[in-house]
Amino acid sequence: MKVLIATDKPFAAEAVNGIRDVIEKAGFELVLLEKYTEKKQLLDAVANVDAAIIRSDIFDKEVLDAAKDLKIVVRAGAGFDNIELDAATANDICVMNTPGQNANAVAELALGLAVYAVRNFYNGTSGTELMGKKLGIHAYGNVGRNVARVAKGFGMEVYAYDPFLTAEAIEKEGVKAVASAEDLYTTCQFVSLHIPATAETKNSINYALLSKMPKNALLINTARKEVINEAEIVKLMEDRKDFKYVTDIMPGNHAEMAEKFAGRYFSTPKKMGAQTAEANTNAGIAAASQIVDFIKNGNERFRVNKK
Ligand code: NAD
């Protein structure tokens, strides 16, 4: 059994060693393709492997069709919008993610971005504090839960909206559940986004929703840029001089945002929520273990595509 690690942006060496350990202990062979610059290299590399571990690497129909022996591809991370799920299903390939493994890293960054914003991007002027403020968590999954935990440490009042969870499931963790996204944005001065990018959520964070936020609003986006309606957030920030936006996922209109909203807008130069040694290693090793368990025992617990 050949297991490929195909990473345009490589794992840390420690993570690769951990993955190798799991794969070789199972009696499989590890193949490494790192920092590839052309799609052809990826197409060649997938041609004769049984399993693949990837990060943000694009596994579209062309790649999946070229992977004649591939049985499983695991995205070491949470979001799997870089994989064409229908094409994988058509080719009888199981797609998995590794939910939760990078959740603490993303949560720490989200709160770090919040502190940075309320302290006026560390420009030396007097800012405000997080304690006592209302934080709305939009999607209470693995990252959302960790944001709640850290935010409670800051003394924030935490609210959450997640249509796929019951109010009881949210409230047993000391977080107030609200019934709609509108309620969340109306109630909370701070909103942290943790929705996946799906057909339903793309472009859903729009003028109508954001304009409901109380005075001195802050939107933190460590989810995906696609969920934001970029034209409408520009309009909103033009209309609301008290509105700040911070993200680790550079918007398509970054240059315009940076120019128009200096002092109220910040994006990290690269997506970095999950960029910690710990998250890297956890997600990589989880991916390797899931592959071994799938091939040896048929365990599909983390499968995300239809059969
Ligand atoms: P998760 O699957 O654990 O949680 C997602 C949650 O979203 C679930 O609780 C689900 O019920 C909820 N949800 C789905 N559709 C919704 C909707 N329409 N409205 C409200 N809630 C909805 O995922 P996670 O680990 O918490 O990660 C969340 C997202 O964060 C990922 O999909 C990914 O896009 C992004 N992410 C970014 C980074 C980064 O580096 N910035 C790293 C990890 C994850």
Side-chain angles (χ1 to χ4, degrees), residues 11 19 52-55 72-80 83 95-104 142-143 274 279-291 301-304:
F11 285 108
I19 294 170
I53 298 172
I54 62 172
R55 301 185 72 200
I72 175 169
V73 53
V74 183
R75 153 75 161 115
F80 44 84
I83 305 170
V95 180
M96 293 187 187
N97 65 347
T98 60
Q101 301 294 336
N102 55 22
N104 180 63
N142 285 293
V143 178
N280 229 254
T281 305
N282 294 346
I285 292 175
S289 304
Q290 288 171 213
I291 285 174
R301 180 169 165 218
F302 296 105
R303 182 173 188 131
V304 294

Side-chain angles (χ1 to χ4, degrees), residues 75 77-81 97-103 105-106 109 137-145 161-165 181 193-198 200-201 204 221-224 227 248-249 271-275:
R75 153 75 161 115
F80 44 84
D81 43 337
N97 65 347
T98 60
Q101 301 294 336
N102 55 22
V106 182
L109 188 85
I137 298 181
H138 193 164
Y140 198 68
N142 285 293
V143 178
R145 267 194 189 86
Y161 170 64
D162 193 315
F164 298 99
L165 295 174
L193 275 175
H194 304 293
I195 42 176
T198 62
E200 186 201 345
T201 63
S204 66
N221 180 12
T222 57
R224 282 287 183 270
V227 302
D248 77 320
I249 298 151
K271 180 150 83 74
M272 56 179 289
Q275 298 297 346

Side-chain angles (χ1 to χ4, degrees), residues 132-150:
K133 307 292 187 332
K134 291 181 173 137
L135 171 70
I137 298 181
H138 193 164
Y140 198 68
N142 285 293
V143 178
R145 267 194 189 86
N146 276 277
V147 169
R149 174 180 53 76
V150 181

Side-chain angles (χ1 to χ4, degrees), residues 55-101:
R55 301 185 72 200
S56 298
D57 307 80
I58 308 294
F59 264 44
D60 57 13
K61 185 171 185 311
E62 189 185 3
V63 175
L64 291 161
D65 283 348
K68 298 284 177 229
D69 298 333
L70 196 67
K71 294 156 190 69
I72 175 169
V73 53
V74 183
R75 153 75 161 115
F80 44 84
D81 43 337
N82 51 323
I83 305 170
E84 249 181 67
L85 299 186
D86 290 346
T89 299
N91 292 1
D92 202 16
I93 295 168
C94 173
V95 180
M96 293 187 187
N97 65 347
T98 60
Q101 301 294 336

Side-chain angles (χ1 to χ4, degrees), residues 11-303:
F11 285 108
E14 190 194 349
V16 176
N17 290 339
I19 294 170
R20 185 184 300 283
D21 218 36
V22 173
I23 297 300
E24 291 180 354
K25 269 201 187 112
F28 302 165
E29 181 191 339
L30 189 73
V31 184
L32 205 53
L33 173 71
E34 291 183 331
K35 293 188 190 168
Y36 56 91
T37 50
E38 283 163 30
K39 192 171 187 183
K40 169 92 173 52
Q41 293 170 275
L42 183 59
L43 293 172
D44 289 345
V46 297
N48 64 347
V49 296
D50 302 278
I53 298 172
I54 62 172
R55 301 185 72 200
S56 298
D57 307 80
I58 308 294
F59 264 44
D60 57 13
K61 185 171 185 311
E62 189 185 3
V63 175
L64 291 161
D65 283 348
K68 298 284 177 229
D69 298 333
L70 196 67
K71 294 156 190 69
I72 175 169
V73 53
V74 183
R75 153 75 161 115
F80 44 84
D81 43 337
N82 51 323
I83 305 170
E84 249 181 67
L85 299 186
D86 290 346
T89 299
N91 292 1
D92 202 16
I93 295 168
C94 173
V95 180
M96 293 187 187
N97 65 347
T98 60
Q101 301 294 336
N102 55 22
N104 180 63
V106 182
E108 288 187 10
L109 188 85
L111 271 300
L113 286 168
V115 173
Y116 187 48
V118 296
R119 293 303 185 94
N120 303 326
F121 304 100
Y122 300 156
N123 71 357
T125 63
S126 177
T128 57
E129 299 180 19
L130 299 182
M131 189 160 78
K133 307 292 187 332
K134 291 181 173 137
L135 171 70
I137 298 181
H138 193 164
Y140 198 68
N142 285 293
V143 178
R145 267 194 189 86
N146 276 277
V147 169
R149 174 180 53 76
V150 181
K152 281 189 258 173
F154 274 100
M156 299 188 86
E157 215 181 305
V158 185
Y159 293 75
Y161 170 64
D162 193 315
F164 298 99
L165 295 174
T166 60
E168 295 75 57
I170 293 173
E171 299 205 331
K172 75 172 195 287
E173 298 187 6
V175 170
K176 290 171 193 144
V178 297
S180 67
E182 286 70 22
D183 283 353
L184 191 77
Y185 286 72
T186 305
T187 307
C188 298
Q189 180 190 345
F190 295 77
V191 170
S192 193
L193 275 175
H194 304 293
I195 42 176
T198 62
E200 186 201 345
T201 63
K202 280 182 186 166
N203 278 315
S204 66
I205 309 304
N206 56 20
Y207 190 100
L209 201 53
L210 296 173
S211 61
K212 295 188 187 310
M213 290 179 75
K215 201 166 162 30
N216 296 324
L218 173 69
L219 179 69
I220 308 149
N221 180 12
T222 57
R224 282 287 183 270
K225 71 178 162 84
E226 290 81 3
V227 302
I228 304 278
N229 184 317
E230 294 184 344
E232 294 193 16
I233 200 170
V234 170
K235 169 97 177 73
L236 185 272
M237 289 181 72
E238 280 170 350
D239 291 352
R240 286 209 27 193
K241 306 286 183 240
D242 64 319
F243 194 102
K244 288 182 180 169
Y245 177 47
V246 287
T247 182
D248 77 320
I249 298 151
M250 190 174 277
N253 60 347
H254 168 72
E256 179 187 11
M257 295 284 284
E259 192 198 323
K260 286 193 170 152
F261 309 121
R264 292 197 282 136
Y265 161 78
F266 172 77
S267 171
T268 58
K270 279 187 176 175
K271 180 150 83 74
M272 56 179 289
Q275 298 297 346
T276 66
E278 293 88 342
N280 229 254
T281 305
N282 294 346
I285 292 175
S289 304
Q290 288 171 213
I291 285 174
V292 171
D293 204 16
F294 171 79
I295 290 176
K296 296 210 163 179
N297 310 314
N299 188 338
E300 299 193 2
R301 180 169 165 218
F302 296 105
R303 182 173 188 131

